[in-house]
Amino acid sequence: MSYKENLRNIKAFVFDVDGVFTDGSVYLMPGGNMCRVMNVLDGYAVVKALKNDYRIGVITGGNDEMVRHRLSYLGIEDYYAKSHDKMIDFENFKEKYNLKNEEILTMGDDIPDLHMMQNSVIAACPENAVPEIKNIADYISSKKGGSGAVRDVVEQVMKVQGKWHDDNTQSV
């Protein structure tokens, strides 16, 4: 099946954080705090997807409380932080919702995302992903991480399935 045909079967998304929801930058703040920036276009798409009964998992090696807060605010309940082996959390997410690999689109940008991407029907990455990830990706977004890459794939899936224009999701 082609990339576009596989979009019809997607029921869930699994995303990394740094380099996907963010541009990968970490701003070092006074007091040892770190700051990341997320895009509201991505947030809008996430809220819209959740309202349309898609499952969304976020699996990251990081453990930033502000990231957790933002994702929770958007409605994401399946947040796996401090993931040392993303495949374990990927399998737990699949099992929780009785999902098959053929129903999942993953988006990652770096080597730790490789195996979970290889185990989903669609492996997507932002435009600025590392070469090893681009080489295995079924789809490379024209958007960079933190600049609408999440929105890009969510919107494509929902449009193919006829669900993009059918509600009144508010800006987030």
Side-chain angles (χ1 to χ4, degrees):
M1 245 188 242
S2 73
Y3 165 73
K4 288 286 187 186
E5 290 170 342
N6 283 330
L7 294 177
R8 296 185 191 288
N9 302 320
I10 298 300
K11 294 181 181 177
F13 301 90
V14 175
F15 298 107
D16 179 31
V17 172
D18 291 318
V20 175
F21 270 101
T22 76
D23 69 1
S25 297
V26 177
Y27 299 95
L28 305 176
M29 309 296 284
N33 293 321
M34 294 184 284
C35 178
R36 291 167 173 82
V37 176
M38 292 188 177
N39 191 305
V40 295
L41 296 176
D42 292 337
Y44 176 84
V46 163
V47 170
K48 192 170 192 72
L50 290 169
K51 284 185 174 184
N52 280 275
D53 298 322
Y54 292 92
R55 302 293 182 189
I56 297 181
V58 176
I59 304 174
T60 180
N63 188 29
D64 186 302
E65 191 55 38
M66 291 307 297
V67 169
R68 179 185 304 276
H69 177 76
R70 171 67 176 162
L71 297 176
S72 175
Y73 174 79
L74 296 175
I76 294 174
E77 297 175 2
D78 297 290
Y79 177 65
Y80 303 85
K82 293 178 21 174
S83 184
H84 299 291
D85 182 346
K86 290 188 177 188
M87 273 306 295
I88 293 170
D89 294 320
F90 180 78
E91 291 297 330
N92 288 337
F93 175 75
K94 277 178 34 185
E95 184 178 319
K96 179 178 179 179
Y97 296 109
N98 196 28
L99 293 164
K100 300 176 184 132
N101 291 349
E102 297 79 27
E103 300 170 323
I104 302 171
L105 180 151
T106 54
M107 180 174 258
D109 72 308
D110 206 350
I111 303 301
D113 306 317
L114 185 76
H115 295 298
M116 69 176 188
M117 291 175 69
Q118 289 174 323
N119 282 279
S120 60
V121 71
I122 298 175
C125 68
E127 185 275 328
N128 57 328
V130 299
E132 294 88 344
I133 294 300
K134 285 182 171 182
N135 287 339
I136 61 111
D138 300 300
Y139 175 73
I140 301 171
S141 176
S142 63
K143 307 289 184 188
K144 292 182 179 181
S147 295
V150 170
R151 161 83 176 246
D152 179 23
V153 293
V154 171
E155 184 176 339
Q156 284 186 58
V157 168
M158 292 183 71
K159 281 183 174 177
V160 163
Q161 295 181 10
K163 298 178 181 179
W164 184 250
H165 296 289
D166 64 356
D167 74 8
N168 294 320
T169 305
Q170 299 298 309
S171 194
V172 289

